Structures are given as structure tokens and as C-alpha cells.
Amino acid sequence: MAEELKDKVYEYLSNHYYLNLATVSPQGRPMAHTMAYVSEGAVVYIVTNKNTRKVQNIMQNPYVAYTVDEDDPDWFEMQALQIEGKASIVTDENELREIGEILVAKFPVAADMPPDPDSIMIKIEPEVIYYLDYSIKFGYREQVNL
């Protein structure tokens, strides 16, 4: 069952486009950021401007949380992921290139965008994952062990 649940998480991540990223400011104030992302297994990557508040927050505190969910009004069909993890800035050229290819495959418009020297890639490695599926039972949530 554990492998099947991991596969559901990987598939869910690969079939969705946006996450809601939570960071904490140096003053201890929570912030939420809607971000496009790509994934490789349970690891997600986002691209953003290096001067954003989310980057400043991550530099002070790399622990983040995010959700990926459905926009469905039927409460009994809701599925979602709740993930807690650690963010880091990707600096390895090979990793940047590999994830860049995944990004363009998922978001073809990215291929037409001019290079931006202020853009950086953030990698979020999960530490805790919860899979929610209210079609099983209202309020159903299961922790995924990686």
C-alpha cells in the first residue's frame, strides 16, 4: 500500500500546475504564494525572481509548507496534498538544465520567455506529506512515508 500511495502522490503532483507555498517572514509573519511548479517524484521546483519576499523568507528560514489541490465545489470529491519540506536554491548547472527541460515540457510557453538574470530556481524536498481524498471518506487524510 505504501508504494501505491507514493505513486498517487507523484501522479498528483505531475498532473497539477500550481501550488500554494507558505513561508514565514523574518518577523514571524506567515505568507502564502501561488506558484507554478514542476516535480520530479515528490520533489518540486519553482522559478521566481531572486528579489521576492518568498526568497528572502526562505533565506532566513528554509522550512516551508505547501498545498496542491482541486478547485471543485463538491466537498465529497476533494483531493489534495499537504506537504512540509525544506527549500533550497538550485545552483548545480546540470540540475538547472534537467529541471529546465521538465519545466518547458510542462509549460511550453517557458521556451519563448527571454532569459532573466534575476530568476532563480528553488527546490523543495518534502519531509512530511499528507494525501487527502474525501471520496474515500469525508476528512480522509493519510500520511505518506517516503
Side-chain angles (χ1 to χ4, degrees), residues 29-41:
R29 299 182 60 88
M31 302 174 89
H33 319 268
T34 301
M35 302 289 304
Y37 73 92
V38 296
S39 60
E40 191 167 278

Side-chain angles (χ1 to χ4, degrees), residues 39-136:
S39 60
E40 191 167 278
V43 176
V44 300
Y45 296 84
I46 57 177
V47 175
T48 190
N49 184 290
K50 67 182 179 184
N51 299 311
T52 61
R53 294 185 300 171
K54 74 183 89 41
V55 172
Q56 293 170 13
N57 294 348
I58 289 168
M59 297 306 287
Q60 292 291 317
N61 178 355
Y63 293 97
V64 299
Y66 66 90
T67 60
V68 179
D69 52 41
E70 308 288 326
D71 191 17
D72 188 333
D74 186 346
W75 292 358
F76 298 97
E77 292 299 317
M78 194 269 291
Q79 293 182 329
L81 295 176
Q82 298 171 330
I83 300 179
E84 301 168 24
K86 191 171 184 182
S88 60
I89 308 301
V90 178
T91 57
D92 179 79
E93 291 297 325
N94 289 331
E95 187 174 11
L96 287 167
R97 196 171 9 271
E98 289 172 16
I99 302 307
E101 291 174 9
I102 294 170
L103 180 76
V104 169
K106 188 172 184 177
F107 299 99
V109 69
D112 298 328
M113 297 178 74
D116 181 354
D118 290 333
S119 287
I120 60 170
M121 184 176 292
I122 297 173
K123 176 181 189 175
I124 303 172
E125 297 177 273
E127 294 183 346
V128 179
I129 299 176
Y130 294 101
Y131 178 75
L132 288 71
D133 188 347
Y134 287 17
S135 68
I136 293 173

Side-chain angles (χ1 to χ4, degrees), residues 1-10 42 81-84 126-131 140-146:
M1 178 61 179
E3 286 304 313
E4 183 179 319
L5 190 54
K6 283 184 200 177
D7 290 343
K8 281 184 181 182
V9 168
Y10 301 161
L81 295 176
Q82 298 171 330
I83 300 179
E84 301 168 24
E127 294 183 346
V128 179
I129 299 176
Y130 294 101
Y131 178 75
Y140 178 85
R141 182 175 94 155
E142 186 171 354
Q143 185 168 343
V144 180
N145 297 314
L146 298 175

